[in-house]
Amino acid sequence: MGTESLLVFIIIGAIAGWLAGLMVKGFGLGLVGNIAVGIVGAFIAGWLFPRLGFAIGGGILASIIHATIGAVILLVLIKLVKQA
């Protein structure tokens, strides 16, 4: 993976984590937390969406949407576990 690819990966993760934090109330994770949540969310969505037959498309905007949906799923699961 090149430097540019890694930078884009981190930026998409940060944006997705930040958006997911806005959507799921009670989560303000900071820059590193947003990046981690966005990247893990992208992996969750990348695993889940093909099994559901769901596809968004290509490009950076689609990647951000994809990672954001996965990050929201992750944050909701974390919130449910914390409440239990």
PDB file of all heavy atoms in Angstrom, residues 20-45:
ATOM      1  N   ALA A  20     -20.368   9.111  12.040  1.00  0.00           N
ATOM      2  CA  ALA A  20     -21.050   8.117  12.874  1.00  0.00           C
ATOM      3  C   ALA A  20     -21.198   8.635  14.297  1.00  0.00           C
ATOM      4  O   ALA A  20     -22.234   8.411  14.939  1.00  0.00           O
ATOM      5  CB  ALA A  20     -20.283   6.800  12.857  1.00  0.00           C
ATOM      6  N   GLY A  21     -20.190   9.329  14.807  1.00  0.00           N
ATOM      7  CA  GLY A  21     -20.273   9.914  16.142  1.00  0.00           C
ATOM      8  C   GLY A  21     -21.365  10.968  16.239  1.00  0.00           C
ATOM      9  O   GLY A  21     -21.999  11.122  17.284  1.00  0.00           O
ATOM     10  N   LEU A  22     -21.601  11.692  15.149  1.00  0.00           N
ATOM     11  CA  LEU A  22     -22.690  12.668  15.134  1.00  0.00           C
ATOM     12  C   LEU A  22     -24.052  11.986  15.109  1.00  0.00           C
ATOM     13  O   LEU A  22     -25.014  12.476  15.704  1.00  0.00           O
ATOM     14  CB  LEU A  22     -22.573  13.581  13.907  1.00  0.00           C
ATOM     15  CG  LEU A  22     -21.415  14.568  13.890  1.00  0.00           C
ATOM     16  CD1 LEU A  22     -21.408  15.323  12.562  1.00  0.00           C
ATOM     17  CD2 LEU A  22     -21.497  15.533  15.046  1.00  0.00           C
ATOM     18  N   MET A  23     -24.140  10.859  14.411  1.00  0.00           N
ATOM     19  CA  MET A  23     -25.414  10.153  14.269  1.00  0.00           C
ATOM     20  C   MET A  23     -25.793   9.387  15.521  1.00  0.00           C
ATOM     21  O   MET A  23     -26.971   9.294  15.856  1.00  0.00           O
ATOM     22  CB  MET A  23     -25.358   9.194  13.083  1.00  0.00           C
ATOM     23  CG  MET A  23     -25.317   9.868  11.757  1.00  0.00           C
ATOM     24  SD  MET A  23     -25.252   8.644  10.461  1.00  0.00           S
ATOM     25  CE  MET A  23     -24.581   9.611   9.141  1.00  0.00           C
ATOM     26  N   VAL A  24     -24.815   8.807  16.195  1.00  0.00           N
ATOM     27  CA  VAL A  24     -25.071   8.036  17.413  1.00  0.00           C
ATOM     28  C   VAL A  24     -24.721   8.927  18.597  1.00  0.00           C
ATOM     29  O   VAL A  24     -23.554   9.208  18.845  1.00  0.00           O
ATOM     30  CB  VAL A  24     -24.238   6.733  17.437  1.00  0.00           C
ATOM     31  CG1 VAL A  24     -24.518   5.946  18.708  1.00  0.00           C
ATOM     32  CG2 VAL A  24     -24.511   5.884  16.203  1.00  0.00           C
ATOM     33  N   LYS A  25     -25.715   9.376  19.297  1.00  0.00           N
ATOM     34  CA  LYS A  25     -25.519  10.322  20.398  1.00  0.00           C
ATOM     35  C   LYS A  25     -24.729   9.686  21.532  1.00  0.00           C
ATOM     36  O   LYS A  25     -24.874   8.514  21.840  1.00  0.00           O
ATOM     37  CB  LYS A  25     -26.864  10.803  20.927  1.00  0.00           C
ATOM     38  CG  LYS A  25     -27.699  11.513  19.895  1.00  0.00           C
ATOM     39  CD  LYS A  25     -27.022  12.756  19.396  1.00  0.00           C
ATOM     40  CE  LYS A  25     -27.878  13.423  18.336  1.00  0.00           C
ATOM     41  NZ  LYS A  25     -27.142  14.317  17.515  1.00  0.00           N
ATOM     42  N   GLY A  26     -23.872  10.478  22.134  1.00  0.00           N
ATOM     43  CA  GLY A  26     -23.101  10.018  23.273  1.00  0.00           C
ATOM     44  C   GLY A  26     -21.696   9.569  22.923  1.00  0.00           C
ATOM     45  O   GLY A  26     -20.980   9.072  23.773  1.00  0.00           O
ATOM     46  N   PHE A  27     -21.284   9.753  21.668  1.00  0.00           N
ATOM     47  CA  PHE A  27     -19.949   9.333  21.265  1.00  0.00           C
ATOM     48  C   PHE A  27     -19.179  10.502  20.696  1.00  0.00           C
ATOM     49  O   PHE A  27     -19.496  11.027  19.637  1.00  0.00           O
ATOM     50  CB  PHE A  27     -20.009   8.199  20.226  1.00  0.00           C
ATOM     51  CG  PHE A  27     -20.308   6.875  20.822  1.00  0.00           C
ATOM     52  CD1 PHE A  27     -21.605   6.409  20.885  1.00  0.00           C
ATOM     53  CD2 PHE A  27     -19.301   6.101  21.346  1.00  0.00           C
ATOM     54  CE1 PHE A  27     -21.885   5.182  21.445  1.00  0.00           C
ATOM     55  CE2 PHE A  27     -19.565   4.875  21.910  1.00  0.00           C
ATOM     56  CZ  PHE A  27     -20.870   4.404  21.966  1.00  0.00           C
ATOM     57  N   GLY A  28     -18.147  10.931  21.417  1.00  0.00           N
ATOM     58  CA  GLY A  28     -17.183  11.905  20.954  1.00  0.00           C
ATOM     59  C   GLY A  28     -15.819  11.274  21.187  1.00  0.00           C
ATOM     60  O   GLY A  28     -15.359  11.200  22.313  1.00  0.00           O
ATOM     61  N   LEU A  29     -15.201  10.777  20.158  1.00  0.00           N
ATOM     62  CA  LEU A  29     -14.031   9.925  20.326  1.00  0.00           C
ATOM     63  C   LEU A  29     -12.711  10.608  20.022  1.00  0.00           C
ATOM     64  O   LEU A  29     -11.668  10.019  20.249  1.00  0.00           O
ATOM     65  CB  LEU A  29     -14.183   8.679  19.449  1.00  0.00           C
ATOM     66  CG  LEU A  29     -15.428   7.841  19.719  1.00  0.00           C
ATOM     67  CD1 LEU A  29     -15.581   6.782  18.650  1.00  0.00           C
ATOM     68  CD2 LEU A  29     -15.349   7.215  21.080  1.00  0.00           C
ATOM     69  N   GLY A  30     -12.715  11.800  19.483  1.00  0.00           N
ATOM     70  CA  GLY A  30     -11.468  12.444  19.092  1.00  0.00           C
ATOM     71  C   GLY A  30     -10.977  11.921  17.762  1.00  0.00           C
ATOM     72  O   GLY A  30     -11.560  11.008  17.173  1.00  0.00           O
ATOM     73  N   LEU A  31      -9.907  12.479  17.282  1.00  0.00           N
ATOM     74  CA  LEU A  31      -9.408  12.147  15.946  1.00  0.00           C
ATOM     75  C   LEU A  31      -8.986  10.689  15.822  1.00  0.00           C
ATOM     76  O   LEU A  31      -9.416   9.992  14.902  1.00  0.00           O
ATOM     77  CB  LEU A  31      -8.239  13.064  15.576  1.00  0.00           C
ATOM     78  CG  LEU A  31      -7.641  12.849  14.188  1.00  0.00           C
ATOM     79  CD1 LEU A  31      -8.682  13.087  13.112  1.00  0.00           C
ATOM     80  CD2 LEU A  31      -6.440  13.736  13.983  1.00  0.00           C
ATOM     81  N   VAL A  32      -8.180  10.208  16.739  1.00  0.00           N
ATOM     82  CA  VAL A  32      -7.692   8.823  16.657  1.00  0.00           C
ATOM     83  C   VAL A  32      -8.844   7.843  16.820  1.00  0.00           C
ATOM     84  O   VAL A  32      -8.925   6.839  16.107  1.00  0.00           O
ATOM     85  CB  VAL A  32      -6.588   8.577  17.713  1.00  0.00           C
ATOM     86  CG1 VAL A  32      -6.166   7.126  17.725  1.00  0.00           C
ATOM     87  CG2 VAL A  32      -5.396   9.479  17.453  1.00  0.00           C
ATOM     88  N   GLY A  33      -9.757   8.130  17.737  1.00  0.00           N
ATOM     89  CA  GLY A  33     -10.929   7.277  17.920  1.00  0.00           C
ATOM     90  C   GLY A  33     -11.812   7.251  16.694  1.00  0.00           C
ATOM     91  O   GLY A  33     -12.325   6.196  16.297  1.00  0.00           O
ATOM     92  N   ASN A  34     -12.009   8.418  16.067  1.00  0.00           N
ATOM     93  CA  ASN A  34     -12.807   8.479  14.844  1.00  0.00           C
ATOM     94  C   ASN A  34     -12.176   7.671  13.724  1.00  0.00           C
ATOM     95  O   ASN A  34     -12.870   6.972  12.986  1.00  0.00           O
ATOM     96  CB  ASN A  34     -12.989   9.932  14.389  1.00  0.00           C
ATOM     97  CG  ASN A  34     -13.971  10.689  15.247  1.00  0.00           C
ATOM     98  OD1 ASN A  34     -14.767  10.115  15.960  1.00  0.00           O
ATOM     99  ND2 ASN A  34     -13.891  12.000  15.172  1.00  0.00           N
ATOM    100  N   ILE A  35     -10.867   7.767  13.593  1.00  0.00           N
ATOM    101  CA  ILE A  35     -10.175   6.996  12.560  1.00  0.00           C
ATOM    102  C   ILE A  35     -10.351   5.507  12.814  1.00  0.00           C
ATOM    103  O   ILE A  35     -10.688   4.745  11.898  1.00  0.00           O
ATOM    104  CB  ILE A  35      -8.680   7.381  12.501  1.00  0.00           C
ATOM    105  CG1 ILE A  35      -8.520   8.808  11.974  1.00  0.00           C
ATOM    106  CG2 ILE A  35      -7.900   6.396  11.632  1.00  0.00           C
ATOM    107  CD1 ILE A  35      -7.118   9.362  12.095  1.00  0.00           C
ATOM    108  N   ALA A  36     -10.166   5.086  14.058  1.00  0.00           N
ATOM    109  CA  ALA A  36     -10.301   3.662  14.390  1.00  0.00           C
ATOM    110  C   ALA A  36     -11.719   3.166  14.151  1.00  0.00           C
ATOM    111  O   ALA A  36     -11.923   2.109  13.543  1.00  0.00           O
ATOM    112  CB  ALA A  36      -9.896   3.425  15.841  1.00  0.00           C
ATOM    113  N   VAL A  37     -12.709   3.942  14.593  1.00  0.00           N
ATOM    114  CA  VAL A  37     -14.109   3.545  14.405  1.00  0.00           C
ATOM    115  C   VAL A  37     -14.456   3.512  12.920  1.00  0.00           C
ATOM    116  O   VAL A  37     -15.142   2.595  12.456  1.00  0.00           O
ATOM    117  CB  VAL A  37     -15.056   4.498  15.179  1.00  0.00           C
ATOM    118  CG1 VAL A  37     -16.501   4.321  14.755  1.00  0.00           C
ATOM    119  CG2 VAL A  37     -14.915   4.269  16.661  1.00  0.00           C
ATOM    120  N   GLY A  38     -13.988   4.484  12.158  1.00  0.00           N
ATOM    121  CA  GLY A  38     -14.261   4.508  10.720  1.00  0.00           C
ATOM    122  C   GLY A  38     -13.634   3.337   9.988  1.00  0.00           C
ATOM    123  O   GLY A  38     -14.256   2.725   9.116  1.00  0.00           O
ATOM    124  N   ILE A  39     -12.414   2.978  10.345  1.00  0.00           N
ATOM    125  CA  ILE A  39     -11.734   1.861   9.684  1.00  0.00           C
ATOM    126  C   ILE A  39     -12.401   0.539  10.053  1.00  0.00           C
ATOM    127  O   ILE A  39     -12.666  -0.303   9.180  1.00  0.00           O
ATOM    128  CB  ILE A  39     -10.233   1.864  10.024  1.00  0.00           C
ATOM    129  CG1 ILE A  39      -9.565   3.063   9.337  1.00  0.00           C
ATOM    130  CG2 ILE A  39      -9.567   0.561   9.593  1.00  0.00           C
ATOM    131  CD1 ILE A  39      -8.131   3.299   9.744  1.00  0.00           C
ATOM    132  N   VAL A  40     -12.695   0.348  11.342  1.00  0.00           N
ATOM    133  CA  VAL A  40     -13.385  -0.881  11.751  1.00  0.00           C
ATOM    134  C   VAL A  40     -14.776  -0.926  11.131  1.00  0.00           C
ATOM    135  O   VAL A  40     -15.237  -1.989  10.696  1.00  0.00           O
ATOM    136  CB  VAL A  40     -13.446  -0.983  13.292  1.00  0.00           C
ATOM    137  CG1 VAL A  40     -14.317  -2.149  13.732  1.00  0.00           C
ATOM    138  CG2 VAL A  40     -12.052  -1.121  13.865  1.00  0.00           C
ATOM    139  N   GLY A  41     -15.443   0.208  11.061  1.00  0.00           N
ATOM    140  CA  GLY A  41     -16.754   0.278  10.413  1.00  0.00           C
ATOM    141  C   GLY A  41     -16.697  -0.101   8.946  1.00  0.00           C
ATOM    142  O   GLY A  41     -17.598  -0.763   8.425  1.00  0.00           O
ATOM    143  N   ALA A  42     -15.642   0.299   8.269  1.00  0.00           N
ATOM    144  CA  ALA A  42     -15.481  -0.067   6.861  1.00  0.00           C
ATOM    145  C   ALA A  42     -15.325  -1.582   6.720  1.00  0.00           C
ATOM    146  O   ALA A  42     -15.887  -2.187   5.798  1.00  0.00           O
ATOM    147  CB  ALA A  42     -14.272   0.642   6.269  1.00  0.00           C
ATOM    148  N   PHE A  43     -14.588  -2.206   7.638  1.00  0.00           N
ATOM    149  CA  PHE A  43     -14.442  -3.660   7.601  1.00  0.00           C
ATOM    150  C   PHE A  43     -15.767  -4.356   7.895  1.00  0.00           C
ATOM    151  O   PHE A  43     -16.111  -5.354   7.262  1.00  0.00           O
ATOM    152  CB  PHE A  43     -13.367  -4.132   8.579  1.00  0.00           C
ATOM    153  CG  PHE A  43     -11.980  -3.918   8.080  1.00  0.00           C
ATOM    154  CD1 PHE A  43     -11.137  -3.019   8.720  1.00  0.00           C
ATOM    155  CD2 PHE A  43     -11.499  -4.595   6.969  1.00  0.00           C
ATOM    156  CE1 PHE A  43      -9.850  -2.812   8.265  1.00  0.00           C
ATOM    157  CE2 PHE A  43     -10.217  -4.386   6.504  1.00  0.00           C
ATOM    158  CZ  PHE A  43      -9.393  -3.491   7.152  1.00  0.00           C
ATOM    159  N   ILE A  44     -16.529  -3.832   8.848  1.00  0.00           N
ATOM    160  CA  ILE A  44     -17.839  -4.413   9.174  1.00  0.00           C
ATOM    161  C   ILE A  44     -18.763  -4.328   7.970  1.00  0.00           C
ATOM    162  O   ILE A  44     -19.401  -5.310   7.596  1.00  0.00           O
ATOM    163  CB  ILE A  44     -18.460  -3.703  10.396  1.00  0.00           C
ATOM    164  CG1 ILE A  44     -17.688  -4.060  11.659  1.00  0.00           C
ATOM    165  CG2 ILE A  44     -19.938  -4.058  10.550  1.00  0.00           C
ATOM    166  CD1 ILE A  44     -18.083  -3.258  12.875  1.00  0.00           C
ATOM    167  N   ALA A  45     -18.841  -3.151   7.371  1.00  0.00           N
ATOM    168  CA  ALA A  45     -19.707  -2.977   6.208  1.00  0.00           C
ATOM    169  C   ALA A  45     -19.213  -3.807   5.026  1.00  0.00           C
ATOM    170  O   ALA A  45     -20.021  -4.372   4.277  1.00  0.00           O
ATOM    171  CB  ALA A  45     -19.784  -1.506   5.818  1.00  0.00           C
TER     172      ALA A  45
END
